[in-house]
Every structure is written in structure tokens, then in C-alpha cells.
Amino acid sequence: MQQDLYAVYGGSGCGRGVMPLARQQLAQAGVSPERLVFVDDAPGPEKVNGQRLLTYAQFLAEPAAKRYAVLAIANSVVREKLAQRCEQDGVRSWTVAAVNVVRMDEVSLGEGSILSPFVTLTSNIRIGRHFHANLYSYVEHDCVIGDFVTFAPGVHCNGNIVIEDHAYIGAGAVIKQGQPGKPLIIGRGAVVGMGAVVTKSVPAGVTVVGNPARVMG
Ligand code: UDP
């Protein structure tokens, strides 16, 4: 009988950070590390950090019962493009989470997420597809996070915040909590610079930096 095949799609910085988590997750499920590969569209070495590197075409050609991929690429627009490609080809979305992630009550997490070590998701949170929560980030109570949202390491997302699709939150940014029924909103595709202290809602598509965070330019 053919076995399933698992991919970390993206063999660069993000992917190399996700691979050990994926390996550990599969080991706990009793899956051999040989069934885990990197996939990347750019040519590269035969192996990266001990794991085979395949092109997407090779990944599809490899015998497998079912194929899974986690999209380990920080650029959310690329993630969305690859998510569509994978869906068309019957490659299933795969969520990878570090063993020490803390998830409290009533957390709904969309498919294909990456939760890095020391991430905490507290209670009553809704998160969309292909979310990246990098090292030491947290999401506090009553937040709603859209699809293809990216947190760099150390993001402090406090309670009652809405983050729309494709927003990018830089390393160490702090977002002030909203109020019940009146959330602080980070608009679609907005970028919050590293270390920013966000005290009010951010419109879609803009970049904010500084303390208090202001629109750049
Ligand atoms: N990549 C890919 N397909 C795409 C776009 C990017 O396989 O359509 C790969 C690219 O070749 C590179 C990785 O994704 O290896 C992105 O790496 P980068 O260092 O730019 O960013 P990060 O690893 O931080 O996401």
C-alpha cells in the first residue's frame, strides 16, 4: 500500500524553520521522515538539512496515497497562489504546530497554519487559512484573524482585535487591545513595521511604523 507524502513548500529561511516542527509532528504520528520533503520551485541541492528537496512536479510525480503541503513562505500573496495550485492538484493543506504551542478554549484555526515554538492562542479566537504565527507570538482573547495573515516573531496581538486578510505584522510589534463590539482593526494587506506600537485601527493597504504607529510617508 502506498504511503502519504508530506511537503514543506519553501526551502528557504521560513521553510527551514518549519521543517524540524514538521518532522517532529510526523514522528509523533509514527510517520517516517523519508515521507517528508522540501518542495521549492527554484532549483537547489538534492538535500537541505538532511531532507530531500523536490520541485513541485517531482512532488506530484512521487508515488503517494495522499499528498499534504504546508506553505512555508512568508509572502502571503505567494502563499495564496500556491494554495490555489495545490488545491487544483489535489494536494491537501497541512497545519504544522510546535509541540509547546498553547491553545486555550474555543480556538478555531483555518487549514494550513504554521504555529512556531512558544506561540500562545488564548480563548475565543477565530483564525483563517494559512496563518503564520512565528516564534513567541501570541493572540489574545476575542480576536478575529483573516486568511493569509503573517506574524513575524514576537507579535503581541491583544484582545478584541480584528486582522484582515494578507496583513503582515512585523517582529515585536504590539497591538493595543480593542473593546468588545468595537475592535481595533488592522485592514486588509496592511503592514505593521517591526517594533511598532499600534494604538488605533490601521486602514487597508498602508504601512505603519513607530510608537505610536503612524502611516509611513
Ligand atoms: N518559492 C517557490 N515558489 C514560488 C515563490 C517562491 O518555491 O512561487 C520559494 C523560493 O524559491 C524560495 C522561497 O520560496 O526558496 C522563499 O524564500 P525567501 O527567502 O524569499 O522567503 P522566506 O523563506 O522568508 O519566506
Side-chain angles (χ1 to χ4, degrees), residues 120-184:
T120 297
L121 310 175
T122 73
S123 297
N124 304 97
I125 292 166
R126 208 165 71 234
I127 298 174
R129 303 160 59 221
H130 300 280
F131 175 52
H132 280 196
N134 220 308
L135 303 167
Y136 292 100
S137 292
Y138 71 74
V139 181
E140 258 285 12
H141 64 89
D142 301 302
C143 286
V144 178
I145 295 181
D147 296 332
F148 303 100
V149 169
T150 309
F151 282 10
V155 169
H156 298 222
C157 176
N158 290 297
N160 288 300
I161 290 168
V162 171
I163 302 186
E164 295 178 351
D165 299 351
H166 287 283
Y168 178 90
I169 317 297
V174 180
I175 310 173
K176 186 182 179 185
Q177 71 174 43
Q179 291 162 24
K182 197 168 178 285
L184 186 151

Side-chain angles (χ1 to χ4, degrees), residues 9-16 39-43 53 56 72-75 78-79 81-82 85 132:
Y9 204 145
S12 190
C14 181
R16 282 181 283 115
V39 169
D40 201 290
D41 294 313
L53 174 70
Y56 184 66
I73 293 174
N75 183 316
V78 173
R79 285 213 297 284
K81 179 191 82 176
L82 297 181
R85 176 190 288 175
H132 280 196

Side-chain angles (χ1 to χ4, degrees), residues 20-73:
L21 312 177
R23 201 187 288 125
Q24 192 167 23
Q25 189 168 304
L26 288 183
Q28 286 187 338
V31 177
S32 156
E34 282 164 22
R35 302 306 296 165
L36 175 62
V37 297
F38 280 108
V39 169
D40 201 290
D41 294 313
E46 211 171 291
K47 282 191 169 184
V48 174
N49 293 351
Q51 226 72 41
R52 281 191 304 151
L53 174 70
L54 305 182
T55 63
Y56 184 66
Q58 287 169 329
F59 174 62
L60 292 185
E62 184 104 350
K66 294 194 281 294
R67 268 169 259 275
Y68 294 87
V70 60
L71 306 177
I73 293 174

